[in-house]
Coordinates of all heavy atoms in Angstrom, one line a residue:
M1 N 6.2 11.6 -13.7 CA 4.9 11.2 -13.5 C 3.9 11.8 -14.6 O 3.0 11.1 -14.9 CB 4.4 11.7 -12.1 CG 5.2 11.3 -10.9 SD 4.7 9.9 -10.0 CE 3.0 10.0 -9.8
L2 N 4.3 12.9 -15.1 CA 3.4 13.4 -16.2 C 3.5 12.5 -17.4 O 2.4 12.3 -18.0 CB 3.9 14.9 -16.5 CG 3.1 15.6 -17.6 CD1 1.7 15.8 -17.2 CD2 3.7 16.9 -17.9
I3 N 4.7 12.1 -17.7 CA 4.8 11.2 -18.9 C 4.0 9.9 -18.7 O 3.3 9.4 -19.5 CB 6.3 10.9 -19.2 CG1 7.0 12.1 -19.6 CG2 6.4 9.8 -20.2 CD1 8.5 12.0 -19.7
Q4 N 4.1 9.3 -17.4 CA 3.3 8.1 -17.1 C 1.8 8.3 -17.2 O 1.1 7.5 -17.7 CB 3.7 7.6 -15.7 CG 5.1 7.1 -15.6 CD 5.5 6.7 -14.2 OE1 4.7 6.9 -13.3 NE2 6.7 6.3 -14.1
S5 N 1.4 9.5 -16.7 CA -0.1 9.8 -16.8 C -0.6 9.9 -18.2 O -1.7 9.4 -18.6 CB -0.4 11.0 -16.0 OG 0.2 12.2 -16.6
V6 N 0.2 10.5 -19.1 CA -0.1 10.6 -20.5 C -0.2 9.2 -21.1 O -1.1 8.9 -21.9 CB 0.9 11.5 -21.3 CG1 0.7 11.4 -22.8 CG2 0.7 12.9 -20.8
I7 N 0.8 8.3 -20.8 CA 0.8 7.0 -21.3 C -0.4 6.2 -20.9 O -1.1 5.5 -21.7 CB 2.1 6.2 -20.9 CG1 3.3 6.9 -21.7 CG2 2.0 4.7 -21.2 CD1 4.6 6.4 -21.2
F8 N -0.8 6.3 -19.6 CA -1.9 5.6 -19.1 C -3.2 6.1 -19.7 O -4.2 5.4 -20.0 CB -2.0 5.6 -17.6 CG -1.1 4.6 -16.9 CD1 0.0 5.1 -16.2 CD2 -1.3 3.3 -17.0 CE1 0.9 4.2 -15.6 CE2 -0.4 2.4 -16.4 CZ 0.7 2.8 -15.7
A9 N -3.3 7.4 -19.9 CA -4.5 8.0 -20.5 C -4.6 7.5 -22.0 O -5.7 7.2 -22.4 CB -4.4 9.5 -20.5
L10 N -3.5 7.5 -22.7 CA -3.6 7.0 -24.1 C -4.0 5.5 -24.1 O -4.7 5.1 -25.0 CB -2.2 7.2 -24.8 CG -1.9 8.6 -25.1 CD1 -0.4 8.7 -25.7 CD2 -2.8 9.2 -26.2
I11 N -3.5 4.7 -23.2 CA -3.9 3.3 -23.2 C -5.4 3.2 -22.9 O -6.0 2.4 -23.6 CB -3.1 2.6 -22.0 CG1 -1.6 2.4 -22.4 CG2 -3.7 1.2 -21.8 CD1 -0.8 1.8 -21.3
Y12 N -5.9 4.0 -22.0 CA -7.3 4.0 -21.8 C -8.1 4.4 -23.0 O -9.0 3.6 -23.4 CB -7.7 4.8 -20.6 CG -9.2 4.8 -20.3 CD1 -9.7 3.7 -19.7 CD2 -10.1 5.8 -20.8 CE1 -11.1 3.6 -19.5 CE2 -11.4 5.7 -20.6 CZ -11.9 4.6 -20.0 OH -13.3 4.5 -19.8
V13 N -7.8 5.5 -23.6 CA -8.5 6.0 -24.7 C -8.4 5.1 -26.0 O -9.4 4.9 -26.6 CB -8.1 7.4 -25.1 CG1 -8.6 7.9 -26.4 CG2 -8.5 8.4 -24.0
K14 N -7.3 4.5 -26.2 CA -7.1 3.7 -27.4 C -7.5 2.3 -27.3 O -7.9 1.6 -28.2 CB -5.6 3.8 -27.9 CG -5.1 5.2 -28.2 CD -5.8 5.7 -29.5 CE -5.2 7.1 -29.9 NZ -5.9 7.7 -31.0
V15 N -7.3 1.7 -26.1 CA -7.5 0.3 -25.9 C -8.8 0.0 -25.1 O -9.5 -0.9 -25.5 CB -6.3 -0.3 -25.1 CG1 -6.5 -1.8 -24.9 CG2 -5.0 -0.1 -25.9
V16 N -9.1 0.7 -24.0 CA -10.2 0.3 -23.2 C -11.5 1.0 -23.5 O -12.5 0.3 -23.6 CB -9.8 0.6 -21.7 CG1 -11.0 0.2 -20.8 CG2 -8.6 -0.2 -21.3
A17 N -11.5 2.3 -23.8 CA -12.7 3.0 -24.0 C -13.5 2.4 -25.3 O -14.7 2.4 -25.2 CB -12.4 4.5 -24.2
P18 N -12.8 2.1 -26.3 CA -13.6 1.6 -27.5 C -14.2 0.2 -27.3 O -15.0 -0.2 -28.1 CB -12.6 1.5 -28.6 CG -11.4 2.3 -28.2 CD -11.4 2.3 -26.7
R19 N -13.8 -0.5 -26.3 CA -14.3 -1.9 -26.0 C -15.8 -1.9 -25.7 O -16.3 -1.0 -25.0 CB -13.6 -2.5 -24.9 CG -12.1 -2.9 -25.1 CD -11.4 -3.3 -23.8 NE -12.1 -4.4 -23.2 CZ -11.7 -5.7 -23.1 NH1 -10.5 -5.9 -23.6 NH2 -12.4 -6.6 -22.6
D20 N -16.5 -2.9 -26.3 CA -17.8 -3.1 -25.9 C -17.8 -3.7 -24.5 O -16.9 -4.5 -24.2 CB -18.6 -4.0 -26.9 CG -18.8 -3.2 -28.2 OD1 -18.9 -2.0 -28.2 OD2 -18.8 -3.9 -29.2
G21 N -18.8 -3.5 -23.7 CA -18.9 -4.1 -22.4 C -19.4 -3.1 -21.4 O -19.5 -1.9 -21.6
S22 N -19.6 -3.7 -20.2 CA -20.2 -2.9 -19.1 C -19.1 -2.1 -18.4 O -17.9 -2.2 -18.7 CB -20.8 -3.9 -18.1 OG -19.8 -4.7 -17.5
F23 N -19.6 -1.3 -17.5 CA -18.7 -0.5 -16.7 C -17.7 -1.5 -16.0 O -16.5 -1.2 -16.0 CB -19.5 0.3 -15.6 CG -18.7 0.9 -14.6 CD1 -18.0 2.1 -14.8 CD2 -18.5 0.3 -13.3 CE1 -17.2 2.7 -13.8 CE2 -17.8 0.9 -12.3 CZ -17.1 2.1 -12.6
G24 N -18.2 -2.5 -15.4 CA -17.3 -3.5 -14.7 C -16.3 -4.1 -15.6 O -15.1 -4.3 -15.2
A25 N -16.7 -4.5 -16.8 CA -15.7 -5.1 -17.8 C -14.6 -4.2 -18.2 O -13.5 -4.6 -18.2 CB -16.5 -5.6 -19.0
R26 N -15.0 -2.9 -18.5 CA -13.9 -1.9 -18.8 C -13.0 -1.6 -17.6 O -11.8 -1.5 -17.8 CB -14.6 -0.7 -19.4 CG -15.2 -0.9 -20.8 CD -15.6 0.4 -21.5 NE -16.1 1.4 -20.6 CZ -17.3 1.6 -20.4 NH1 -18.3 0.9 -20.9 NH2 -17.7 2.6 -19.6
T27 N -13.6 -1.6 -16.4 CA -12.9 -1.3 -15.2 C -11.9 -2.4 -15.0 O -10.7 -2.2 -14.7 CB -13.8 -1.2 -14.0 OG1 -14.6 0.0 -14.2 CG2 -13.0 -1.0 -12.7
L28 N -12.3 -3.7 -15.2 CA -11.4 -4.8 -14.9 C -10.3 -4.8 -16.0 O -9.1 -5.0 -15.6 CB -12.2 -6.1 -15.0 CG -11.5 -7.4 -14.8 CD1 -10.9 -7.4 -13.4 CD2 -12.3 -8.6 -15.0
A29 N -10.7 -4.6 -17.2 CA -9.6 -4.6 -18.3 C -8.6 -3.5 -18.1 O -7.4 -3.8 -18.1 CB -10.3 -4.4 -19.6
Y30 N -9.0 -2.3 -17.7 CA -8.1 -1.2 -17.5 C -7.3 -1.5 -16.2 O -6.1 -1.2 -16.2 CB -8.8 0.1 -17.4 CG -7.9 1.3 -17.3 CD1 -6.9 1.5 -18.2 CD2 -8.0 2.2 -16.2 CE1 -6.0 2.6 -18.1 CE2 -7.2 3.2 -16.1 CZ -6.2 3.5 -17.0 OH -5.3 4.6 -17.0
G31 N -7.9 -2.0 -15.2 CA -7.2 -2.2 -13.9 C -6.2 -3.3 -14.1 O -5.0 -3.1 -13.5
V32 N -6.4 -4.4 -14.8 CA -5.4 -5.4 -15.0 C -4.3 -4.9 -15.8 O -3.1 -5.1 -15.4 CB -6.1 -6.7 -15.6 CG1 -5.0 -7.7 -16.0 CG2 -7.1 -7.3 -14.6
M33 N -4.6 -4.3 -16.9 CA -3.5 -3.7 -17.8 C -2.7 -2.7 -17.0 O -1.4 -2.7 -17.1 CB -4.1 -3.1 -19.0 CG -4.5 -4.1 -20.1 SD -4.9 -3.4 -21.7 CE -6.3 -2.4 -21.3
G34 N -3.4 -1.8 -16.4 CA -2.7 -0.7 -15.7 C -1.8 -1.2 -14.5 O -0.7 -0.8 -14.3
A35 N -2.4 -2.1 -13.7 CA -1.6 -2.7 -12.6 C -0.4 -3.5 -13.1 O 0.7 -3.3 -12.5 CB -2.5 -3.6 -11.7
A36 N -0.6 -4.2 -14.1 CA 0.6 -5.0 -14.6 C 1.7 -4.1 -15.1 O 2.9 -4.3 -14.8 CB 0.1 -6.0 -15.7
L37 N 1.3 -3.1 -15.9 CA 2.3 -2.2 -16.4 C 3.0 -1.4 -15.3 O 4.2 -1.3 -15.2 CB 1.7 -1.2 -17.4 CG 2.6 -0.2 -18.1 CD1 3.7 -0.9 -18.9 CD2 1.8 0.7 -19.0
S38 N 2.1 -0.9 -14.4 CA 2.7 -0.1 -13.2 C 3.6 -0.9 -12.4 O 4.7 -0.5 -12.0 CB 1.5 0.4 -12.4 OG 1.9 1.1 -11.3
W39 N 3.2 -2.2 -12.1 CA 4.0 -3.1 -11.3 C 5.3 -3.4 -11.9 O 6.3 -3.4 -11.2 CB 3.2 -4.3 -11.0 CG 3.8 -5.3 -10.1 CD1 3.8 -5.2 -8.7 CD2 4.5 -6.5 -10.4 NE1 4.5 -6.3 -8.2 CE2 4.9 -7.1 -9.2 CE3 4.8 -7.1 -11.6 CZ2 5.6 -8.3 -9.2 CZ3 5.5 -8.3 -11.6 CH2 5.9 -8.9 -10.4
S40 N 5.3 -3.5 -13.2 CA 6.6 -3.9 -13.9 C 7.6 -2.7 -13.9 O 8.8 -3.0 -13.8 CB 6.3 -4.3 -15.4 OG 5.9 -3.1 -16.1
F41 N 7.2 -1.5 -14.0 CA 8.2 -0.5 -14.0 C 8.3 0.3 -12.7 O 9.1 1.2 -12.6 CB 8.0 0.5 -15.2 CG 6.8 1.4 -15.1 CD1 6.6 2.4 -14.3 CD2 5.8 1.1 -16.0 CE1 5.5 3.2 -14.3 CE2 4.6 1.9 -16.1 CZ 4.5 2.9 -15.2
T42 N 7.6 -0.1 -11.6 CA 7.9 0.4 -10.3 C 8.4 -0.6 -9.4 O 9.6 -0.6 -9.0 CB 6.6 1.1 -9.7 OG1 5.6 0.1 -9.7 CG2 6.1 2.3 -10.5
T43 N 7.6 -1.6 -9.1 CA 8.0 -2.6 -8.1 C 9.2 -3.4 -8.5 O 10.2 -3.6 -7.8 CB 6.8 -3.5 -7.8 OG1 5.7 -2.7 -7.4 CG2 7.1 -4.5 -6.7
L44 N 9.1 -4.0 -9.7 CA 10.2 -4.8 -10.2 C 11.5 -4.1 -10.4 O 12.6 -4.5 -10.1 CB 9.8 -5.6 -11.5 CG 8.8 -6.7 -11.4 CD1 8.5 -7.3 -12.7 CD2 9.3 -7.7 -10.4
A45 N 11.4 -2.9 -11.0 CA 12.5 -2.1 -11.3 C 13.3 -1.7 -10.0 O 14.5 -1.8 -9.9 CB 12.2 -0.8 -12.1
V46 N 12.5 -1.2 -9.0 CA 13.1 -0.8 -7.7 C 13.7 -2.1 -7.0 O 14.8 -2.0 -6.4 CB 12.1 -0.1 -6.8 CG1 12.6 0.1 -5.4 CG2 11.7 1.2 -7.5
A47 N 13.0 -3.2 -7.0 CA 13.5 -4.4 -6.3 C 14.8 -4.8 -7.0 O 15.7 -5.4 -6.3 CB 12.5 -5.5 -6.4
A48 N 14.9 -4.7 -8.3 CA 16.1 -5.1 -9.0 C 17.3 -4.2 -8.8 O 18.5 -4.7 -8.8 CB 15.8 -5.2 -10.5
K49 N 17.1 -3.0 -8.6 CA 18.3 -2.1 -8.5 C 18.7 -1.7 -7.1 O 19.7 -1.1 -6.9 CB 18.1 -0.9 -9.4 CG 17.0 0.1 -8.9 CD 16.9 1.3 -9.9 CE 15.8 2.2 -9.4 NZ 15.7 3.3 -10.3
N50 N 17.9 -2.0 -6.1 CA 18.2 -1.6 -4.7 C 18.6 -2.8 -3.9 O 18.0 -3.8 -4.0 CB 17.1 -0.8 -4.1 CG 16.8 0.5 -4.7 OD1 17.8 1.2 -5.0 ND2 15.6 0.9 -4.9
V51 N 19.6 -2.6 -3.0 CA 19.9 -3.6 -2.0 C 19.0 -3.5 -0.8 O 18.8 -2.4 -0.3 CB 21.4 -3.4 -1.6 CG1 21.8 -4.4 -0.5 CG2 22.3 -3.5 -2.7
M52 N 18.4 -4.6 -0.5 CA 17.5 -4.5 0.7 C 17.5 -5.9 1.4 O 18.0 -6.9 0.9 CB 16.0 -4.3 0.2 CG 15.5 -5.1 -0.9 SD 13.9 -4.6 -1.5 CE 14.4 -3.3 -2.6
T53 N 17.1 -5.8 2.7 CA 17.2 -7.0 3.5 C 16.3 -8.1 3.1 O 16.6 -9.3 3.2 CB 17.1 -6.7 5.0 OG1 15.8 -6.0 5.2 CG2 18.2 -5.8 5.5
S54 N 15.1 -7.7 2.7 CA 14.1 -8.7 2.4 C 13.3 -8.4 1.1 O 12.4 -7.6 1.1 CB 13.1 -8.9 3.5 OG 12.1 -9.8 3.1
V55 N 13.8 -8.9 0.0 CA 13.2 -8.6 -1.3 C 11.8 -9.2 -1.4 O 10.8 -8.5 -1.8 CB 14.0 -9.2 -2.5 CG1 13.3 -9.0 -3.8 CG2 15.4 -8.5 -2.5
P56 N 11.5 -10.4 -0.9 CA 10.1 -11.0 -0.9 C 9.2 -10.1 -0.1 O 8.0 -9.9 -0.6 CB 10.3 -12.4 -0.3 CG 11.7 -12.8 -0.5 CD 12.5 -11.5 -0.4
D57 N 9.6 -9.6 1.1 CA 8.7 -8.7 1.8 C 8.4 -7.4 1.1 O 7.3 -6.9 1.0 CB 9.3 -8.4 3.2 CG 9.2 -9.5 4.1 OD1 8.5 -10.5 3.9 OD2 9.9 -9.5 5.2
Y58 N 9.4 -6.8 0.5 CA 9.3 -5.6 -0.3 C 8.3 -5.9 -1.5 O 7.4 -5.1 -1.8 CB 10.6 -5.1 -0.9 CG 10.5 -4.0 -1.9 CD1 10.2 -2.7 -1.4 CD2 10.5 -4.2 -3.2 CE1 10.0 -1.7 -2.3 CE2 10.3 -3.2 -4.1 CZ 10.1 -1.9 -3.6 OH 9.9 -0.9 -4.5
L59 N 8.5 -7.0 -2.2 CA 7.6 -7.3 -3.3 C 6.2 -7.5 -2.9 O 5.2 -7.0 -3.5 CB 8.1 -8.6 -4.1 CG 9.4 -8.4 -4.9 CD1 9.8 -9.7 -5.4 CD2 9.1 -7.4 -6.0
L60 N 6.0 -8.1 -1.7 CA 4.6 -8.3 -1.2 C 4.0 -7.0 -0.9 O 2.8 -6.7 -1.3 CB 4.7 -9.2 0.0 CG 3.3 -9.5 0.7 CD1 2.4 -10.3 -0.2 CD2 3.5 -10.2 2.0
I61 N 4.7 -6.1 -0.2 CA 4.1 -4.8 0.2 C 3.8 -4.0 -1.0 O 2.7 -3.4 -1.1 CB 5.1 -4.1 1.2 CG1 5.1 -4.8 2.5 CG2 4.7 -2.6 1.4 CD1 6.2 -4.4 3.5
E62 N 4.8 -3.9 -1.9 CA 4.6 -3.0 -3.1 C 3.5 -3.6 -4.0 O 2.8 -2.8 -4.7 CB 5.9 -2.8 -3.8 CG 6.8 -1.9 -3.1 CD 6.3 -0.5 -2.9 OE1 5.8 0.1 -3.9 OE2 6.4 0.0 -1.8
T63 N 3.4 -4.9 -4.1 CA 2.4 -5.5 -4.9 C 1.0 -5.2 -4.4 O 0.1 -4.8 -5.1 CB 2.6 -7.0 -5.1 OG1 3.9 -7.2 -5.7 CG2 1.5 -7.7 -5.9
A64 N 0.9 -5.3 -3.0 CA -0.4 -5.0 -2.4 C -0.8 -3.5 -2.6 O -1.9 -3.2 -2.9 CB -0.3 -5.3 -0.9
F65 N 0.2 -2.6 -2.5 CA 0.0 -1.2 -2.8 C -0.5 -1.0 -4.2 O -1.5 -0.2 -4.4 CB 1.2 -0.4 -2.5 CG 1.1 1.1 -2.9 CD1 0.4 1.9 -2.1 CD2 1.6 1.5 -4.1 CE1 0.2 3.3 -2.5 CE2 1.4 2.8 -4.5 CZ 0.7 3.7 -3.7
T66 N 0.1 -1.6 -5.2 CA -0.2 -1.5 -6.5 C -1.7 -2.0 -6.8 O -2.4 -1.3 -7.5 CB 0.8 -2.2 -7.5 OG1 2.1 -1.7 -7.3 CG2 0.4 -2.0 -8.9
V67 N -2.0 -3.1 -6.2 CA -3.4 -3.6 -6.4 C -4.4 -2.7 -5.8 O -5.4 -2.3 -6.4 CB -3.5 -5.0 -5.7 CG1 -4.9 -5.5 -5.6 CG2 -2.7 -6.0 -6.5
V68 N -4.1 -2.2 -4.6 CA -5.1 -1.2 -3.9 C -5.2 0.1 -4.8 O -6.3 0.6 -5.0 CB -4.6 -0.9 -2.5 CG1 -5.5 0.2 -1.9 CG2 -4.8 -2.2 -1.6
Q69 N -4.1 0.5 -5.2 CA -4.1 1.8 -6.1 C -4.9 1.6 -7.3 O -5.8 2.4 -7.6 CB -2.6 2.1 -6.5 CG -2.5 3.3 -7.4 CD -1.1 3.5 -8.0 OE1 -0.2 2.7 -7.7 NE2 -0.9 4.5 -8.7
W70 N -4.8 0.5 -8.0 CA -5.6 0.2 -9.2 C -7.0 -0.1 -8.9 O -7.8 0.1 -9.8 CB -4.8 -0.8 -10.1 CG -3.7 0.0 -10.8 CD1 -2.4 0.1 -10.5 CD2 -3.9 0.8 -12.0 NE1 -1.8 0.9 -11.3 CE2 -2.6 1.4 -12.3 CE3 -5.0 1.1 -12.8 CZ2 -2.4 2.2 -13.3 CZ3 -4.8 2.0 -13.9 CH2 -3.5 2.5 -14.1
L71 N -7.3 -0.7 -7.7 CA -8.7 -0.9 -7.4 C -9.4 0.5 -7.3 O -10.6 0.5 -7.5 CB -8.8 -1.6 -6.0 CG -8.5 -3.1 -6.1 CD1 -8.5 -3.7 -4.7 CD2 -9.6 -3.8 -6.9
M72 N -8.7 1.5 -7.0 CA -9.3 2.9 -6.9 C -9.2 3.6 -8.3 O -10.1 4.3 -8.7 CB -8.6 3.7 -5.8 CG -8.9 3.2 -4.4 SD -8.2 4.2 -3.1 CE -6.5 3.8 -3.2
V73 N -8.0 3.5 -8.9 CA -7.8 4.3 -10.1 C -8.7 3.8 -11.3 O -9.2 4.6 -12.0 CB -6.3 4.2 -10.5 CG1 -6.1 4.8 -11.9 CG2 -5.5 5.0 -9.5
A74 N -8.8 2.5 -11.5 CA -9.5 2.0 -12.7 C -11.0 2.4 -12.7 O -11.4 2.9 -13.7 CB -9.3 0.5 -12.7
P75 N -11.7 2.2 -11.6 CA -13.1 2.6 -11.7 C -13.3 4.1 -11.8 O -14.2 4.6 -12.5 CB -13.8 2.1 -10.5 CG -12.7 1.7 -9.6 CD -11.5 1.5 -10.4
L76 N -12.4 4.9 -11.2 CA -12.5 6.3 -11.3 C -12.2 6.8 -12.7 O -12.8 7.8 -13.2 CB -11.6 7.0 -10.2 CG -12.0 6.8 -8.8 CD1 -10.9 7.4 -7.8 CD2 -13.4 7.4 -8.5
T77 N -11.2 6.2 -13.3 CA -10.9 6.6 -14.7 C -12.1 6.3 -15.6 O -12.5 7.1 -16.5 CB -9.7 5.8 -15.2 OG1 -8.6 6.1 -14.3 CG2 -9.3 6.2 -16.6
V78 N -12.7 5.1 -15.5 CA -13.8 4.7 -16.3 C -15.0 5.7 -16.1 O -15.7 6.1 -17.0 CB -14.3 3.3 -16.1 CG1 -15.5 2.9 -16.8 CG2 -13.1 2.3 -16.5
L79 N -15.2 6.1 -14.8 CA -16.2 7.1 -14.5 C -15.9 8.5 -15.1 O -16.8 9.2 -15.5 CB -16.4 7.2 -13.0 CG -17.2 6.1 -12.4 CD1 -17.2 6.3 -10.8 CD2 -18.7 6.1 -12.8
A80 N -14.6 8.8 -15.0 CA -14.2 10.2 -15.5 C -14.3 10.3 -17.0 O -14.5 11.4 -17.5 CB -12.8 10.5 -15.0
F81 N -14.1 9.2 -17.7 CA -14.1 9.3 -19.2 C -15.2 8.4 -19.7 O -14.9 7.3 -20.3 CB -12.7 8.9 -19.7 CG -11.6 9.8 -19.3 CD1 -10.8 9.5 -18.3 CD2 -11.5 11.0 -19.9 CE1 -9.8 10.3 -17.8 CE2 -10.5 11.9 -19.5 CZ -9.6 11.5 -18.5
P82 N -16.4 8.7 -19.6 CA -17.5 7.9 -20.1 C -17.5 7.8 -21.6 O -17.1 8.7 -22.3 CB -18.8 8.5 -19.6 CG -18.4 10.0 -19.4 CD -17.0 10.0 -19.0
R83 N -18.0 6.7 -22.1 CA -18.1 6.6 -23.6 C -19.4 7.3 -24.0 O -20.4 7.4 -23.3 CB -18.3 5.1 -23.9 CG -17.0 4.3 -23.6 CD -17.1 2.9 -24.0 NE -18.4 2.3 -23.7 CZ -18.8 1.2 -24.3 NH1 -18.2 0.7 -25.2 NH2 -20.0 0.7 -23.9
T84 N -19.3 7.8 -25.2 CA -20.5 8.4 -25.9 C -20.9 7.6 -27.1 O -20.2 6.6 -27.4 CB -20.2 9.9 -26.3 OG1 -19.2 9.8 -27.3 CG2 -19.8 10.7 -25.1
A85 N -21.9 7.9 -27.7 CA -22.4 7.2 -28.9 C -21.4 7.1 -30.0 O -20.6 8.0 -30.1 CB -23.7 7.8 -29.4
R86 N -21.5 6.1 -30.8 CA -20.6 6.0 -31.9 C -21.0 7.0 -33.0 O -22.1 7.2 -33.3 CB -20.7 4.6 -32.6 CG -20.2 3.5 -31.7 CD -20.3 2.2 -32.4 NE -20.0 1.1 -31.5 CZ -18.8 0.5 -31.5 NH1 -17.9 0.9 -32.3 NH2 -18.6 -0.5 -30.6
Q87 N -19.9 7.7 -33.5 CA -20.1 8.7 -34.5 C -19.2 8.4 -35.6 O -18.0 8.3 -35.4 CB -19.9 10.1 -33.9 CG -20.8 10.5 -32.8 CD -20.4 11.8 -32.1 OE1 -19.4 12.4 -32.5 NE2 -21.2 12.2 -31.2
D88 N -19.7 8.4 -36.8 CA -18.9 8.1 -38.0 C -18.1 6.8 -37.9 O -17.0 6.7 -38.3 CB -17.9 9.3 -38.3 CG -18.6 10.6 -38.5 OD1 -19.8 10.6 -39.0 OD2 -18.1 11.6 -38.1
G89 N -18.7 5.8 -37.3 CA -18.0 4.5 -37.2 C -16.9 4.4 -36.1 O -16.3 3.4 -36.0
Q90 N -16.7 5.5 -35.4 CA -15.6 5.5 -34.4 C -16.2 5.8 -33.0 O -17.2 6.5 -32.9 CB -14.6 6.6 -34.7 CG -13.8 6.3 -35.9 CD -12.7 7.4 -36.0 OE1 -12.8 8.5 -35.6 NE2 -11.6 7.0 -36.7
M91 N -15.7 5.2 -32.0 CA -16.1 5.4 -30.7 C -15.5 6.7 -30.2 O -14.3 7.0 -30.3 CB -15.6 4.3 -29.7 CG -16.0 4.4 -28.3 SD -17.8 4.4 -28.0 CE -18.1 2.7 -28.4
R92 N -16.4 7.6 -29.7 CA -15.9 8.9 -29.2 C -15.9 8.8 -27.7 O -16.8 8.3 -27.1 CB -16.9 10.0 -29.6 CG -17.1 10.0 -31.1 CD -16.1 10.7 -31.9 NE -15.9 12.1 -31.4 CZ -15.0 12.9 -32.0 NH1 -14.4 12.5 -33.0 NH2 -14.8 14.1 -31.5
V93 N -14.9 9.4 -27.0 CA -14.8 9.4 -25.6 C -15.1 10.8 -25.1 O -14.5 11.8 -25.6 CB -13.4 9.0 -25.1 CG1 -13.3 9.1 -23.6 CG2 -13.1 7.6 -25.6
A94 N -16.1 10.9 -24.2 CA -16.4 12.2 -23.7 C -15.3 12.7 -22.8 O -14.7 11.9 -22.1 CB -17.7 12.2 -23.0
G95 N -15.1 14.0 -22.7 CA -14.2 14.6 -21.8 C -13.2 15.5 -22.3 O -12.8 15.8 -23.3

């Protein structure tokens, strides 16, 4: 989990934080990217390697969980790492 948190933090700092746009636009961008990445290596990977009685039900439940998780994580991340003014032509992230 530590490795995943570092990867998600780097994605935010390198890809999302420098983007121009409102709080909502950055939240949406990070939420969509994060949810897609998270879904691909949790939900799909587990569904592919485990034997279960209902794969479609599992995918539905886990997809819903991932969406709810990122509905909370994305805005909180954008709030936790606010952008600061541009300095020396580069976007600086406070925090």
Side-chain angles (χ1 to χ4, degrees):
M1 302 262 321
L2 181 62
I3 294 169
Q4 292 173 1
S5 65
V6 169
I7 291 169
F8 282 112
L10 287 173
I11 289 171
Y12 179 78
V13 170
K14 299 292 184 186
V15 177
V16 179
R19 291 173 53 113
D20 290 330
S22 66
F23 169 81
R26 288 193 325 268
T27 298
L28 181 63
Y30 184 58
V32 169
M33 282 190 294
L37 182 61
S38 178
W39 186 78
S40 72
F41 64 75
T42 57
T43 305
L44 286 182
V46 171
K49 69 181 178 180
N50 291 318
V51 177
M52 53 189 78
T53 57
S54 178
V55 174
D57 287 345
Y58 173 79
L59 288 173
L60 179 67
I61 291 168
E62 287 298 314
T63 300
F65 173 79
T66 301
V67 168
V68 170
Q69 176 187 5
W70 281 94
L71 283 172
M72 293 184 285
V73 169
L76 291 174
T77 303
V78 173
L79 283 173
F81 298 100
R83 297 184 311 159
T84 60
R86 293 181 187 264
Q87 298 174 358
D88 301 327
Q90 292 185 332
M91 180 63 68
R92 309 274 307 178
V93 177

